[in-house]
Amino acid sequence: MTETIKLAVNGTLMRGFELNPNLLNVNATFERDAQTEPTYRIWSIDDKYPAMIKVSSGGVAVAVEVWQVPLAGLGVILSQEPPGLAVGKVKLHDGEEVLGVIGEPLTVAGKKEITEFGGWQAYQEAN
């Protein structure tokens, strides 16, 4: 049996988006839709992908997908992520803490904040 780790994704790795094949190509499996705890804000990076950052105040719950990723595939997925994205711990609304794709603070400088949409999918549907 392949050892896996949970990964919360909030943008183009989600089902139906451009980079979702990166998850599928390493045999990751979709576990569930979820939301973060309400301590995150999200920005659009040139309308190509989002960057989610944890904040001390003014955060919202961001829509994410939780995937089971084979440990051997985690590095492959991360190496294919856009610039300015990294992996960190993300706290979900139910209190579970998992690895998740997060943005580096400098990546969002001067970019369009889309926190009001609550997630990349809702932002894409509105634009």
Side-chain angles (χ1 to χ4, degrees):
M1 185 170 178
T2 303
E3 192 173 353
T4 63
I5 192 164
K6 291 181 183 182
L7 180 69
V9 300
N10 63 70
T12 56
L13 284 174
M14 296 172 83
R15 293 170 298 159
F17 287 100
E18 178 184 355
L19 297 184
N20 183 251
N22 294 355
L23 285 167
L24 300 175
N25 290 341
V26 298
N27 296 315
T29 55
F30 174 77
E31 181 179 290
R32 63 188 165 108
D33 289 309
Q35 286 192 317
T36 66
E37 66 178 4
T39 57
Y40 295 87
R41 297 188 76 71
I42 191 168
W43 286 261
S44 173
I45 309 304
D46 303 323
D47 280 343
K48 294 178 182 174
Y49 59 93
M52 179 178 79
I53 295 180
K54 190 169 187 168
V55 294
S56 58
S57 65
V60 302
V62 173
V64 297
E65 291 180 351
V66 178
W67 287 74
Q68 289 285 348
V69 178
L71 287 179
L74 188 59
V76 173
I77 291 167
L78 298 178
S79 70
Q80 297 169 334
E81 279 294 273
L85 299 183
V87 168
K89 291 188 177 179
V90 172
K91 196 151 194 185
L92 301 178
H93 196 270
D94 63 7
E96 183 178 14
E97 191 171 70
V98 300
L99 291 183
V101 179
I102 58 173
E104 297 171 347
L106 287 178
T107 302
V108 305
K111 301 300 179 183
K112 179 180 180 181
E113 186 168 353
I114 60 171
T115 301
E116 66 190 74
F117 294 94
W120 184 245
Q121 185 165 2
Y123 172 71
Q124 291 295 301
E125 290 171 356
N127 288 293

